[in-house]
Amino acid sequence: MGDNVVVSNMELERLLSMKGGKGEGSYANNSQAQAIHAKSMHHLLKEALDGVQLQAPNIPFVVVDLGCSCGINTINVVDLIIKHIIKRYEALGLDPPEFSAFFSDLPSNDFNTLFQLLPPLANYGVSMEECLAANNHRSYFAAGVPGSFYRRLFPARFIDVFHSAFSLHWLSQVPESVLDKRSSAHNKGRVFIHGASEITANAYKKQFQTDLATFLSSRAVELKRGGSMFLVCLGRTSVDPTDQGGAGLLFGTHFQDAWDDLVQEGLISGEKRDSFNIPVYAPSLQDFREVVEADGSFAINKLEVFKGGSPLVVNQPDDDGEVGRALANSCRSVSGVLVDAHIGDKLSEELFMRVERRATSHGKELLEQLQFFHIVASLSFAL
C-alpha cells in the first residue's frame, strides 16, 4: 500500500486480519501463547460441550469457530470439540453422526494458509472408529465462511456449537467520536485507550457493548435449540475501562512510544498518529454480563475472568533481545495489517523496529508484568 493511506472505519472490516503467511511476524508463528491459554481452558470448554443436546445420529453435527484466524489453534480446538462429542455419543451406545466444521473470519483472513494446515479428510466410506484411528486425518467436513460475526453468517437453527476465542475484543470499528478532533472523546496523542480519558474509554465500551449485542442477536437465530456457545475474549480485572490490563501493556506502552518516536523524528505527523487507534476493548465481567442480560436470549452457564498468562513465549527468558523480538512480533502479528495500511510498509517496518528496541530495554519487566486475563462465557438458550 502507499505511504499515506488513511483507513476509514468502513474499511476496517475489509482490512482487519491477523498477519497472514508463515513469516517471522505472522500470526501462524506468533500464536503459541494463545494455544497455551486455550489449553488451560479446555476443561471449561468440555464442561460446556457436556451440556449440548445430542441430535439423532442421522442429523449432521455442526461446529463453528468464529474468528478462526490462520494458525493451527483453530484446527486443534475443532478437533477437540468433535472428539469430545463423539465420546458422548459412544457413551450412550450410539453411532456418531457426520460432522461439519465451519472456519469463519473476515474476508481478509489468510484462509489459504489455514486450509494448507488442514489434515486430509478420512475416508467416510469406513466406520467412524476407523476414521478416528487414521493418523493425521480429520473426521469432519470443513469449509470457510468469510464475513463479520457482527452479522448473520448461517441459516436459522443450523449450528450445534459456536466457539470463539481471542476475537470478540476486536471491535467492528473505532468509535467515530474517538477520531473526531471536535469531540471530547478524541483520543489525541494516543493510539489505544489505555490511560486515555474516561470519555474516550466509555466510547470504546459503548462500541463493544453494541457489537456484542449484534453478535448475540445473530447467534440467537443461527444456534439450534439445545446448542451451546463457548466464548473467550481479552478481559480485565479493573472496573476502570481506561485500565486495559494486558492489552494496555501490549498496545499502550512500547507500541505507543514507538508511534511517538516516529512523530518526534518527523517521519509522520502527530495528526497521522492520532488518526490511528487500535480497535480493541478488553471488557470487565460487568460489561459483558450487562449485554447478555439485556439481550435475554441466553442463559449464562459460566461467566468468569480467567488468568491466561503472558502473551510472550520465549526460549531464553534472560535474553532481553529475544523478549523484545517476541513483543514486537506479537504486536505485529495482530496489528501489523492495520499499521501497514495506515502508514505504509516502510514506516511500519520502522515502527516495529522501535517497538523491539524499546521492549528489549525492558525485557525482565515485560515478562513479569505483561499478563493477559480472559473473559470466559458459556451460554445456552434461556428457558
Side-chain angles (χ1 to χ4, degrees):
M1 295 215 173
D3 284 352
N4 198 34
V5 178
V6 176
V7 180
S8 72
N9 288 340
M10 296 298 289
E11 290 179 301
L12 184 59
E13 183 179 321
R14 181 176 62 83
L15 284 170
L16 179 60
S17 66
M18 303 300 98
K19 193 80 169 176
K22 299 175 182 177
E24 185 184 357
S26 68
Y27 185 81
N29 283 330
N30 289 279
S31 52
Q32 301 95 324
Q34 288 91 328
I36 294 168
H37 298 182
K39 190 172 183 179
S40 69
M41 290 180 268
H42 279 177
H43 64 291
L44 300 175
L45 173 57
K46 289 176 180 178
E47 278 180 24
L49 295 175
D50 285 339
V52 175
Q53 182 178 319
L54 300 183
Q55 308 288 334
N58 64 331
I59 300 174
F61 192 97
V62 185
V63 177
V64 175
D65 190 28
L66 296 167
C68 61
S69 194
C70 54
I72 195 68
N73 294 348
T74 182
I75 295 170
N76 289 341
V77 78
V78 165
D79 195 53
L80 181 149
I81 290 169
I82 289 174
K83 285 181 176 176
H84 191 81
I85 295 297
I86 286 172
K87 285 181 183 177
R88 286 192 57 205
Y89 273 96
E90 290 176 341
L92 295 171
L94 299 172
D95 290 331
E98 293 186 333
F99 290 88
S100 286
F102 292 101
F103 298 90
S104 182
D105 212 316
L106 294 173
S108 47
N109 184 56
D110 185 1
F111 284 102
N112 285 338
T113 293
L114 173 60
F115 293 153
Q116 288 166 15
L117 294 171
L118 272 176
L121 180 66
N123 183 357
Y124 257 92
V126 300
S127 70
M128 182 60 69
E129 288 74 15
E130 289 174 287
C131 276
L132 293 172
N135 286 334
N136 300 319
H137 283 66
R138 58 186 159 90
S139 55
Y140 56 88
F141 297 101
V145 178
S148 170
F149 54 39
Y150 294 127
R151 290 197 295 273
R152 286 281 307 279
L153 291 167
F154 300 97
R157 304 289 169 256
F158 186 63
I159 307 301
D160 292 280
V161 173
F162 277 113
H163 174 273
S164 182
F166 317 123
S167 297
L168 276 167
H169 49 264
W170 286 98
L171 305 177
S172 66
Q173 65 174 59
V174 175
E176 292 180 7
S177 60
V178 170
L179 298 174
D180 183 353
K181 289 184 286 186
R182 300 162 300 177
S183 169
S184 57
H186 183 226
N187 201 20
K188 183 174 176 60
R190 298 181 186 276
V191 295
F192 190 50
I193 58 163
H194 188 70
S197 72
E198 186 177 349
I199 295 174
T200 302
N202 283 333
Y204 264 75
K205 173 184 172 180
K206 182 180 178 182
Q207 185 66 54
F208 169 80
Q209 292 191 316
T210 299
D211 286 344
L212 182 58
T214 60
F215 175 92
L216 293 176
S217 63
S218 294
R219 305 295 83 80
V221 177
E222 298 163 346
L223 190 66
K224 290 179 185 175
R225 294 290 170 187
S228 181
M229 286 203 294
F230 186 79
L231 311 174
V232 180
C233 69
L234 281 182
R236 67 177 198 274
T237 54
S238 171
V239 295
D240 179 5
T242 68
D243 178 0
Q244 286 284 293
L249 285 175
L250 187 66
F251 292 123
T253 53
H254 305 303
F255 183 73
Q256 171 71 54
D257 292 340
W259 281 91
D260 295 342
D261 288 344
L262 295 187
V263 173
Q264 288 161 13
E265 293 166 36
L267 295 174
I268 63 172
S269 66
E271 190 173 347
K272 189 71 176 172
R273 174 200 56 204
D274 295 350
S275 62
F276 180 88
N277 270 250
I278 293 287
V280 163
Y281 179 78
S284 67
L285 273 181
Q286 187 60 23
D287 292 341
F288 202 101
R289 184 187 301 276
E290 285 172 1
V291 182
V292 179
E293 291 180 346
D295 173 83
S297 300
F298 296 100
I300 298 173
N301 303 316
K302 187 176 290 291
L303 181 61
E304 61 183 59
V305 175
F306 191 90
K307 186 176 181 180
S310 174
L312 306 180
V313 178
V314 293
N315 295 317
Q316 301 289 335
D318 293 332
D319 183 345
D320 288 345
E322 186 184 357
V323 175
R325 278 191 302 279
L327 182 95
N329 284 334
S330 182
C331 277
R332 190 169 206 161
S333 69
V334 297
S335 69
V337 171
L338 294 179
V339 175
D340 291 353
H342 194 72
I343 58 176
D345 296 354
K346 290 180 181 178
L347 284 174
S348 178
E349 190 68 35
E350 293 285 340
L351 178 83
F352 288 107
M353 281 172 52
R354 284 159 178 75
V355 173
E356 181 176 339
R357 192 183 312 141
R358 284 181 166 278
T360 297
S361 63
H362 296 84
K364 183 179 180 183
E365 175 188 325
L366 275 170
L367 282 180
E368 291 174 353
Q369 296 181 6
L370 185 51
Q371 299 289 320
F372 276 180
F373 287 85
H374 304 294
I375 300 286
V376 181
S378 171
L379 309 177
S380 56
F381 277 119
L383 297 176

